[in-house]
Amino acid sequence: MSLHPTLQPYADAWTHSIEAISELVNPLVEGEWNRRTPCPGWSVRDVVSHVIGLDCEMLGDPRPIHTLPRDLFHVTNDHQRYMEMQVDVRRHHTAPEMTSELEYVIIRRNRQLRNDSRDPGTKVRGPLGTELTLADSMRQHAFDVWVHEQDLRAALGRPGNLDSPGAHVARDVLLDALPDIVAVKADAPRSSAIVFDVHGPVEFLRTIRVDIQGRGTLETAPALGPAASLSLDWETYVRLACGRVTPEAVADRVKAEGDPELTSAILRNFTVTR
C-alpha cells in the first residue's frame, strides 16, 4: 500500500513544514511559547496547538469536548469557534507537553500516510461537518501548515522556507482564489484584465480576465493595456492573502498601477483565509 502519486506532493509539503515547525519550537523556553504571532489572537503555543489539532482531525480523532470562554475577542464566527476549540483546550499546556504531543502526532500521521492507499477522490470529513475530497483536504492541510510555519518564523525571528514545497502549494491555493477576488468581491469591470506580478523566492506573472458576464479566469498570458496591475514580493502577497497584514501596513511594498478604485477594492478583498 502506498499513497496515490497525485497526493504525494501534498504529503511531502506537509512533512517539510511540520518538521520545520518541530525544529523551531523544540528548543523554546516556556516564556517564548507566549510570543504573539501575526495570526490574529494567537501565540506561538496557540499556533502549534492549532497545527496539532488539524493533524488529529486528519487522523480521525474525536474532537475535544470543551467550552470556549466568552472573552476571546478574535473569535467572531462559527469557523473561528470551530478552529479555536483545539487551541483553547491546550492553552495551559507546558512546553514539554506541547513538544511531546507534536512529536507523537507527527509519528502517527507519517504512519497514516505510509499506509494510505485511498483514491484522491475519496470523500472525507472537513471542518464544521463539511465533506471534501481527500485531495482537496490534503492540499488545504499542506497550505495551512506552511502558513502557520511562517507565522511561527515571524514570531521567533527565524525567517525561511519561503520557497519550500509548502510555499508552492500555497501559491496554487492562493492563485485559485484570485478570479473570485477580482471579478466578484472587487467587482472588476467586465471585459477587463488585471495583472499580478509577484517576485521573490516564488515568482509568477498572472492575469485575471473578466468576461462580458462578469466571470473571472486565471491566465498565464500577460495582458496588453490592463485595467490595473499589482506588483509585490511573494512574502507580502502571502501576508496580505492570509490576513496577517492590512493593505495600509504594506503600502510601500505594493506597486499599484491603473484604476486606483479597482486596485484599492482588490487589496481590500484580498484575504483568502477566514
Side-chain angles (χ1 to χ4, degrees), residues 66-107:
H66 179 72
T67 303
L68 290 177
R70 295 183 180 180
D71 59 350
L72 299 174
F73 298 112
H74 60 282
V75 178
T76 59
N77 57 46
D78 287 344
H79 185 267
Q80 289 170 345
R81 273 186 283 276
Y82 182 93
M83 292 302 176
E84 195 73 21
M85 200 72 77
Q86 295 276 16
V87 172
D88 195 66
V89 80
R90 294 176 173 84
R91 280 222 157 91
H92 301 293
H93 286 198
T94 64
E97 286 173 325
M98 294 297 299
T99 53
S100 61
E101 187 180 10
L102 177 62
E103 188 177 332
Y104 182 50
V105 83
I106 292 171
I107 291 168

Side-chain angles (χ1 to χ4, degrees), residues 1-251:
M1 291 190 294
S2 61
L3 202 60
H4 193 280
T6 61
L7 300 177
Q8 195 63 52
Y10 306 138
D12 292 343
W14 169 82
T15 300
H16 194 278
S17 295
I18 202 79
E19 288 179 354
I21 287 173
S22 183
E23 287 177 19
L24 284 168
V25 302
N26 266 325
L28 299 184
V29 298
E30 198 66 51
E32 290 174 303
W33 285 84
N34 298 322
R35 284 194 189 179
R36 288 179 62 183
T37 72
C39 192
W42 281 0
S43 66
V44 167
R45 177 184 282 99
D46 296 339
V47 168
V48 177
S49 295
H50 174 62
V51 169
I52 290 170
L54 287 175
D55 272 300
C56 286
E57 299 204 10
M58 295 294 281
L59 284 159
D61 292 355
R63 281 174 56 75
I65 298 170
H66 179 72
T67 303
L68 290 177
R70 295 183 180 180
D71 59 350
L72 299 174
F73 298 112
H74 60 282
V75 178
T76 59
N77 57 46
D78 287 344
H79 185 267
Q80 289 170 345
R81 273 186 283 276
Y82 182 93
M83 292 302 176
E84 195 73 21
M85 200 72 77
Q86 295 276 16
V87 172
D88 195 66
V89 80
R90 294 176 173 84
R91 280 222 157 91
H92 301 293
H93 286 198
T94 64
E97 286 173 325
M98 294 297 299
T99 53
S100 61
E101 187 180 10
L102 177 62
E103 188 177 332
Y104 182 50
V105 83
I106 292 171
I107 291 168
R108 292 177 64 211
R109 279 280 287 141
N110 274 321
R111 186 184 302 130
Q112 180 192 39
L113 289 168
R114 277 197 307 272
N115 297 322
D116 199 340
S117 58
R118 289 177 293 176
D119 184 85
T122 303
K123 295 292 185 181
V124 297
R125 186 185 73 186
L128 291 168
T130 56
E131 199 177 68
L132 66 168
T133 66
L134 179 61
D136 286 342
S137 175
M138 287 184 63
R139 181 181 193 242
Q140 184 64 38
H141 188 56
F143 166 70
D144 288 340
V145 175
W146 179 80
V147 169
H148 291 306
E149 178 199 338
Q150 294 304 315
D151 287 332
L152 294 171
R153 288 186 176 281
L156 300 169
R158 297 276 305 278
N161 282 353
L162 282 166
D163 59 350
S164 68
H168 289 88
V169 173
R171 174 201 60 197
D172 294 343
V173 170
L174 296 176
L175 282 174
D176 281 354
L178 266 186
D180 185 62
I181 289 168
V182 171
V184 180
K185 294 179 180 176
D187 196 22
R190 298 182 180 202
S191 302
S192 67
I194 294 84
V195 172
F196 294 83
D197 185 2
V198 175
H199 53 274
V202 174
E203 293 189 337
F204 53 86
L205 180 68
R206 295 290 187 276
T207 300
I208 302 297
R209 291 194 183 276
V210 184
D211 66 16
I212 196 67
Q213 279 82 37
R215 293 182 299 247
T217 54
L218 179 70
E219 298 183 3
T220 55
L224 298 175
S229 65
L230 291 164
S231 177
L232 64 164
D233 65 274
W234 168 237
E235 185 177 6
T236 302
Y237 187 99
V238 169
R239 292 169 71 202
L240 277 168
C242 297
R244 278 20 180 196
V245 290
T246 63
E248 294 75 22
V250 291

